[in-house]
Amino acid sequence: MTTPFPFTAVVGQDDLRLALLLNAVSPAVGGVLVRGEKGTAKSTAVRALSALLPAVAVVPGCRFSCDPNSPDPECPDGPHEAGGGTERAARMVELPVGASEDRLVGALDIERALAEGVKAFEPGLLADAHRGILYVDEVNLLHDHLVDLLLDAAAMGASYVEREGVSVRHAAKFLLVGTMNPEEGELRPQLLDRFGLTVEVAASREPDQRVEVVRRRLAYDDDPAAFAAKWAREEAAVRQRIVAARELLPQVRLGDAALRQIAATCAAFEVDGMRADIVMARTATALAAWAGRTDVLAEDVRQAALLALPHRRRRNPFDAPGLDEDKLDETLEQYSGDDGDGDDEPDPDGPGGGGQPAPDSGPQGDGGEAARPEAGEGGQPQASGAGEQSAVRATEPFRTKVLSVPGVGEGAAGRRSRARTEHGRTTGARRPQGTLTKLHLAATVQAAAPHQRARGRSGPGLVVRRDDLRQATREGREGNLVLFVVDASGSMAARQRMSAVKGAVLSLLLDAYQRRDKVGLVTFRGTSAEVALPPTSSVDAAAARLETLPTGGRTPLAAGLLKAHEVLRVERLRDPARRPLVVVVTDGRATGGPEPVALAGRAARLFAAEQVASVVVDCESGPVRLGLAGQLAGELGGTAVTLDELRADSIAGLVKGIQGRRAA
């Protein structure tokens, strides 16, 4: 068995370690989402935590880890008699990004359920993680329906598996930890809210601390057992402290003054719903227990806010996470009272005792992400080159209606275009290819019915064979690759005009985020085109590239289209099931080089020949319009739409226009 890296040997990352320890003390806090760049010890810290959790007593032979002192009365392996039991170490179960629904929640033997009425159940990862840790690396890349199942189980403390009216329920209480790199895409706000705490991690910029990280890692790699032995005393101390905090937790008093501070803080930062208030209350209570106190102080409320609120105040993916700490302090001061007013001196050991973080070390509110622009950010860098203008800020984004790809695809689950998926409305049945996941009951019965006499059926039960089973085919929605091809030439350089163009693209990016698309950005100006952002799930990275985009020079439209065609060719090899939608943002002009208009037309016809869905956003303005964008849309086999028509209240016919043109 591999020796894990000791938790107490992790250098820095105080917020991460504190958030994990608070969940170890009180799993009711709701888990931790760890956001940060690659190589910042996210996975190392999570895996190390499992060694600190106290051993758990289980019923011998129970696949669902029932507690022998209070066994689950609905356990599928039960009923169990109270008492007895054996101890085992707390488990850490990892959920792979590519896991199926059956692997997560378990599966029923459909054939036996139909023929015998027996609930033959094979437990999934949720059962394995009961009373331990469930770890999801790159949780932002997990399919949405799996994240929904995961968070529902975490919230209810139980998992339900249902197949055509046959259901199984088992307990599933675990410490949920997810890690993610925001550059690879964000979680939806609804899913972010389901994680109790979130922390932002980044590599230290202090040379001494970086040296210590390297030194410890090299020592661990040379001899893991010896390195772990060196930290055994610190590990034992933290383990004992977790046990003591758990025992003290029921005695901690959350006074009215602390509750008022919690409610006032959530209201001041305009977080949605009441989950934030509840999580803050549980976190503050766990902080007090971790510090060895029975009263919640103002410092606990402050720390709880820094851990529980940053991800809940984001309104869209372009907002930077974090809290205004001055505003937080003002709110806490305004609602301070005699009961837990924060005047007491903090515990000198603090939650950082034994190599642990201090109670008032808040999460890095700035997120540490260079790719994420601040809202209303100004001072963009000056573009270089003759005739170029500095970047301008986008206008406020607006709501758009859906642009979809015609036909029915088979891409990754999303919310844009029609697709054959595992979830959605049932449209038919087929023989299963591999494991049966969604039974079509009527088709299965119809396939088995003609053979009942030949199979010797004598009782009421239906005699079902494997060949009779039918998989339900379903139609839902898929995510697409939305590739933006943006004209940044001199003809687009008027500041007010380019601001409107950027606002339109930003609106479409927000729509792509909500519909779970991948996005890419190609820009063209001067004499060439460039891939400003390769296809990615991170729409905020695309927004950052757009924000700093300068304009000026000639209009190499053909170069932009050819570059986009090359991007699609490469992406088709990487992800052949994901269908593209090309959005060309231009006034349709083509200048520079020999026969620029003819060359642009030939480049556009490459997309038409491959039946790539496309939309041209016509940015032409002024009383005299040449209609060049409309001509380009015709060459592409797509549809032209003006900036004004992009708004939700005026774009209703756009999708029909795309589909009608494709049908023609």
Side-chain angles (χ1 to χ4, degrees):
M1 182 177 178
T2 303
T3 303
F5 192 92
F7 187 85
T8 51
V10 174
V11 179
Q13 308 300 7
D14 293 349
D15 301 318
L16 169 58
R17 292 186 292 148
L18 177 59
L20 291 172
L21 288 168
L22 292 177
N23 274 271
V25 171
S26 175
V29 166
V32 185
L33 175 65
V34 187
R35 297 162 41 91
E37 58 197 25
K38 52 187 175 294
T40 50
K42 301 189 298 292
S43 300
T44 298
V46 175
R47 293 188 176 99
L49 178 67
S50 61
L52 296 179
L53 297 182
V56 295
V58 298
V59 174
C62 178
R63 297 173 297 167
F64 302 88
S65 302
C66 279
D67 186 345
N69 297 318
S70 57
D72 181 5
E74 298 181 60
C75 175
D77 283 356
H80 305 299
E81 294 184 2
T86 60
E87 281 197 348
R88 63 160 175 81
R91 292 174 180 161
M92 192 197 76
V93 177
E94 293 196 41
L95 173 62
V97 169
S100 65
E101 180 179 337
D102 286 346
R103 184 72 185 98
L104 176 63
V105 301
L108 290 169
D109 187 329
I110 300 298
E111 186 175 353
R112 291 188 64 191
L114 284 175
E116 306 172 28
V118 175
K119 296 181 181 179
F121 181 67
E122 184 65 29
L125 295 177
L126 291 180
D128 292 342
H130 180 46
R131 305 176 68 198
I133 300 173
L134 183 60
Y135 173 47
V136 189
D137 194 14
E138 307 295 352
V139 65
N140 51 324
L141 303 183
L142 197 65
H143 284 302
D144 283 353
H145 74 280
L146 292 182
V147 179
D148 289 333
L149 289 170
L150 184 65
L151 295 176
D152 284 343
M156 296 185 296
S159 174
Y160 295 85
V161 183
E162 299 192 9
R163 294 289 189 275
E164 303 296 339
V166 181
S167 64
V168 171
R169 173 228 170 260
H170 66 83
K173 298 179 180 179
F174 46 83
L175 194 168
L176 176 62
V177 183
T179 58
M180 60 175 282
N181 183 346
E183 294 178 356
E184 296 173 339
E186 289 283 356
L187 280 171
R188 301 199 315 267
Q190 300 93 321
L191 301 182
L192 280 172
D193 184 55
R194 298 295 291 272
F195 281 93
L197 310 179
T198 188
V199 291
E200 298 281 335
V201 296
S204 173
R205 300 298 184 258
E206 292 294 330
D208 290 343
Q209 194 171 73
R210 295 175 75 97
V211 166
E212 186 61 23
V213 170
V214 174
R215 181 181 290 117
R216 293 187 186 183
R217 186 70 211 191
L218 292 177
Y220 171 77
D221 291 341
D222 288 342
D223 191 341
F227 185 81
K230 179 181 176 182
W231 290 87
R233 180 176 298 179
E234 288 81 357
E235 293 282 285
V238 174
R239 190 179 298 111
Q240 292 171 3
R241 189 171 178 183
I242 291 174
V243 173
R246 284 184 174 186
E247 294 174 351
L248 183 62
L249 187 65
Q251 305 173 39
V252 175
R253 187 176 66 92
L254 182 65
D256 289 342
L259 275 174
R260 282 195 298 272
Q261 287 182 318
I262 290 170
T265 300
C266 292
F269 286 98
E270 300 179 349
V271 296
D272 296 330
M274 295 296 298
R275 184 174 284 116
D277 304 63
I278 296 170
V279 170
M280 274 190 65
R282 289 172 174 166
T283 304
T285 302
L287 279 162
W290 178 246
R293 290 185 269 99
T294 56
D295 286 316
V296 173
L297 306 181
E299 67 194 51
D300 301 321
V301 176
R302 185 182 192 278
Q303 180 66 70
L306 292 171
L307 292 171
L309 297 188
H311 60 303
R312 291 185 165 89
R313 59 164 292 276
R314 300 183 70 193
R315 292 295 182 264
N316 64 63
F318 312 132
D319 291 340
L323 291 181
D324 182 341
E325 295 195 30
D326 290 337
K327 180 178 179 180
L328 173 61
D329 291 335
E330 290 175 4
T331 303
L332 294 176
E333 178 65 26
Q334 180 180 355
Y335 287 89
S336 63
D338 295 334
D339 183 7
D341 61 4
D343 290 336
D344 295 340
E345 289 295 325
D347 181 357
D349 293 332
Q356 303 312 315
D360 56 4
S361 57
Q364 293 118 357
D366 60 3
E369 298 170 39
R372 187 188 306 280
E374 294 290 340
E377 183 180 0
Q380 302 299 334
Q382 182 73 26
S384 61
E388 292 186 355
Q389 298 185 17
S390 60
V392 297
R393 287 183 293 182
T395 58
E396 285 296 317
F398 50 83
R399 185 171 63 88
T400 68
K401 286 192 176 178
V402 62
L403 308 176
S404 66
V405 177
V408 181
E410 295 182 342
R415 297 185 172 187
R416 184 172 296 278
S417 304
R418 295 172 56 202
R420 287 179 287 273
T421 62
E422 287 294 318
H423 298 269
R425 63 184 182 89
T426 301
T427 58
R430 60 174 174 81
R431 289 181 181 274
Q433 299 172 350
T435 304
L436 178 72
T437 56
K438 296 291 182 181
L439 178 74
H440 194 296
L441 182 59
T444 298
V445 173
Q446 186 176 7
H451 308 291
Q452 296 304 294
R453 182 175 297 176
R455 293 172 182 173
R457 173 185 171 186
S458 58
L462 188 67
V463 181
V464 180
R465 300 285 187 263
R466 174 67 58 180
D467 290 343
D468 300 329
L469 300 179
R470 295 294 182 268
Q471 174 82 27
T473 57
R474 298 173 181 249
E475 184 176 300
R477 292 281 171 176
E478 68 176 0
N480 298 111
L481 166 60
V482 182
L483 181 60
F484 294 93
V485 186
V486 179
D487 184 348
S489 65
S491 64
M492 303 281 288
R495 298 184 70 86
Q496 185 174 0
R497 183 178 178 187
M498 198 60 196
S499 293
V501 169
K502 286 187 176 183
V505 177
L506 202 63
S507 303
L508 291 169
L509 281 172
L510 183 57
D511 180 69
Y513 164 76
Q514 294 167 341
R515 300 188 187 281
R516 311 302 287 169
D517 295 314
K518 291 179 71 173
V519 296
L521 178 62
V522 172
T523 64
F524 57 95
R525 61 188 175 91
T527 60
S528 63
E530 67 173 350
V531 181
L533 183 71
T536 176
S537 297
S538 179
V539 295
D540 53 346
R545 303 294 194 277
L546 181 71
E547 189 76 13
T548 58
L549 177 66
T551 57
R554 292 183 178 275
T555 311
L557 177 57
L561 295 175
L562 290 173
K563 181 67 71 174
H565 186 268
E566 175 65 15
V567 170
L568 294 185
R569 185 189 68 80
V570 174
E571 191 64 18
R572 196 175 293 120
L573 297 174
R574 294 174 176 168
D575 192 356
R578 190 179 292 269
R579 298 186 295 162
L581 173 64
V582 176
V583 180
V584 185
V585 185
T586 181
D587 57 8
R589 298 172 188 266
T591 61
E595 299 184 342
V597 176
L599 185 58
R602 289 197 294 272
R605 287 191 287 275
L606 291 174
F607 292 87
E610 297 175 2
Q611 295 189 325
V612 176
S614 59
V615 176
V616 177
V617 179
D618 185 358
C619 301
E620 192 174 27
S621 60
V624 178
R625 303 197 179 203
L626 302 178
L628 298 176
Q631 296 177 26
L632 175 62
E635 298 280 4
L636 287 165
T639 297
V641 57
T642 66
L643 286 173
D644 290 339
E645 291 171 338
L646 274 176
R647 296 184 179 276
D649 55 359
S650 59
I651 199 173
L654 183 56
V655 174
K656 293 182 179 179
I658 296 174
Q659 296 172 337
R661 185 177 282 269
R662 177 72 62 232

